[in-house]
């Protein structure tokens, strides 16, 4: 019991130290160093790679593989369906940008607080801005009139993404990154989910608009999906004078897709753990 109590204290110490380093962009190397110390001290916080240091790692008895970017040959088959229908998804994105006031008013700054998750995301944005239009998740229009084809396609081929959004563990959005904008290095909140980007509007100079996941830089292509684990440290740079737009999908880790009951339990555990960490941080014991 005492050993478990000591382990919990070490977890809290390393987590708080790491989070403090994460808040200062120049301290990212120190954040990785803290993660290395935690790993060396008996795998505190569940971390096994200093580049993968989310606030919540799946329990040790739930073995999930870790890969920063999913290789093309390992992608799920629904990626082909979304790529095949890229043109119609692009049309519906354009409709949300130029349609009725009800739709155009749904566009919001990332991290503005209008949806439950991601309210701290504004802290990683530097430059002209990052906006989102929520299709599934808190803040979405309840009906399908804004993007009927895209929503039907996702329900049919990526139902776990819809479920995850409904349970508060993610979202599906049109994500629009302004020119000359940098999303600073950070780690997603948990390794229970992955992120997919379907390129919709991509700047001509791909080398000046890129994403880094772990140690690997990638560029987007219009009509193609990039699938990655956002619990690894990642950043985005748009150093062009054009917007970059993707359909962003949060979905269960592939090894949890067929284990829906366990996945739901784990995401609720992760949400509770995050709330507990916030309470510990801002309301420390007397």
């Amino acid at each position: 019991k005492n050993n478990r109590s000591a382990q919990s204290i070490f977890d809290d110490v390393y987590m708080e130290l790491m989070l403090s380093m994460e808040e200062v962009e120049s301290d990212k190397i120190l954040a990785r160093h803290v993660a290395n110390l935690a790993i060396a001290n008996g795998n505190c916080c569940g971390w096994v790679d200093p580049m993968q240091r989310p606030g919540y790692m799946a329990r040790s008895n739930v073995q999930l593989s870790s890969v920063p970017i999913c290789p093309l040959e390992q992608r799920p088959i629904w990626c082909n369906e979304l790529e095949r229908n890229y043109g119609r998804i692009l049309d519906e994105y354009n409709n949300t940008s130029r349609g009725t006031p009800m739709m155009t008013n749904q566009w919001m700054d990332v991290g503005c607080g209008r949806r439950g998750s991601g309210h701290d995301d504004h802290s990683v944005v530097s430059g002209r801005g990052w906006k989102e239009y929520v299709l599934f998740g808190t803040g979405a229009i309840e009906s399908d009139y804004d993007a009927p084809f895209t929503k039907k396609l996702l329900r049919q081929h990526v139902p776990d993404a819809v479920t995850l959004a409904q349970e508060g563990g993610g979202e599906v959005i049109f994500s629009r990154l302004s020119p000359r904008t940098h999303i600073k290095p950070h780690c997603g909140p948990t390794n229970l989910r992955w992120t997919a980007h379907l390129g919709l509007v991509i700047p001509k100079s791909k080398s000046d608009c890129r994403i880094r996941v772990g140690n690997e830089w990638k560029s987007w292509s219009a009509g193609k999906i990039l699938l990655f684990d956002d619990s690894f440290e990642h950043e985005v740079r748009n150093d062009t004078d054009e917007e970059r737009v993707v359909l962003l999908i949060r979905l269960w880790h592939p090894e949890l897709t067929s284990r829906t009951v366990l996945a739901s339990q784990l995401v609720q555990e992760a949400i509770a753990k995050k709330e507990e960490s916030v309470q510990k941080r801002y309301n420390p014991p007397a």
Side-chain angles (χ1 to χ4, degrees):
K1 181 178 179 180
N2 289 337
N3 286 340
R4 287 198 299 272
S5 177
Q7 184 68 47
S8 178
I9 292 172
F10 274 120
D11 285 354
D12 289 345
V13 168
Y14 281 116
M15 184 63 70
E16 179 59 30
L17 185 56
M18 186 275 294
L19 290 173
S20 297
M21 298 299 100
E22 293 279 15
E23 291 176 356
V24 182
E25 185 176 6
S26 60
D27 284 346
K28 284 295 182 292
I29 294 177
L30 290 179
R32 297 171 200 157
H33 180 61
V34 170
N36 262 323
L37 290 175
I39 294 167
N41 195 48
N43 199 23
C44 288
C45 305
W47 300 326
V48 294
D49 184 333
M51 293 295 280
Q52 185 186 29
R53 46 184 195 278
Y56 176 87
M57 289 284 282
R59 296 191 299 259
S60 58
N61 62 325
V62 182
Q63 298 295 324
L64 298 178
S65 60
S66 296
V67 56
I69 298 176
C70 180
L72 288 175
E73 65 273 12
Q74 295 179 20
R75 299 189 320 168
I77 58 174
W78 58 259
C79 292
N80 298 331
E81 288 297 324
L82 266 62
E83 291 180 349
R84 188 177 299 119
N85 289 283
Y86 147 74
R88 295 187 67 178
I89 296 171
L90 175 62
D91 287 343
E92 292 195 334
Y93 156 72
N94 287 328
N95 193 39
T96 65
S97 298
R98 306 164 190 166
T100 67
M102 186 176 183
M103 283 192 285
T104 56
N105 289 340
Q106 283 292 112
W107 281 95
M108 65 185 89
D109 291 323
V110 171
C112 70
R114 281 173 56 185
R115 63 175 169 88
S117 60
H119 57 270
D120 293 327
D121 289 351
H122 67 279
S123 63
V124 300
V125 182
S126 173
R128 297 184 188 175
W130 180 19
K131 290 186 177 291
E132 65 183 6
Y133 185 103
V134 182
L135 297 174
F136 291 105
T138 306
I141 292 177
E142 291 186 4
S143 72
D144 286 1
Y145 91 95
D146 55 345
F149 178 82
T150 301
K151 288 182 175 180
K152 181 179 179 180
L153 191 70
L154 290 167
R155 288 193 186 99
Q156 182 178 356
H157 295 286
V158 204
D160 59 311
V162 178
T163 302
L164 184 62
Q166 292 171 340
E167 295 188 2
E171 61 281 328
V172 178
I173 63 175
F174 289 132
S175 173
R176 184 165 65 204
L177 192 66
S178 297
R180 306 294 170 184
T181 299
H182 179 207
I183 301 175
K184 294 178 276 190
H186 64 289
C187 294
T190 178
N191 69 326
L192 298 176
R193 68 183 198 188
W194 280 14
T195 295
H197 286 178
L198 172 65
L200 296 178
V201 180
I202 307 301
K204 297 181 186 67
S205 179
K206 292 183 180 180
S207 62
D208 292 319
C209 186
R210 302 184 296 163
I211 180 171
R212 175 179 65 83
V213 186
N215 293 310
E216 188 174 359
W217 285 95
K218 288 283 188 179
S219 296
W220 296 272
S221 294
K224 298 298 180 181
I225 283 180
L226 177 66
L227 183 61
F228 62 96
D229 183 341
D230 79 336
S231 66
F232 281 87
E233 182 181 299
H234 59 287
E235 66 176 305
V236 175
R237 298 201 68 96
N238 183 5
D239 295 322
T240 76
D241 293 317
E242 303 171 71
E243 291 180 336
R244 182 237 58 180
V245 182
V246 299
L247 173 65
L248 184 153
I249 305 167
R250 310 284 191 199
L251 61 149
W252 294 115
H253 187 292
E255 292 164 18
L256 288 174
T257 301
S258 61
R259 303 157 76 184
T260 54
V261 174
L262 174 61
S264 295
Q265 292 173 345
L266 289 173
V267 79
Q268 293 307 316
E269 182 179 307
I271 291 171
K273 185 71 173 179
K274 182 177 181 180
E275 178 59 30
E276 179 186 342
S277 298
V278 170
Q279 291 300 319
K280 286 180 178 178
R281 188 168 206 196
Y282 296 106
N283 298 284

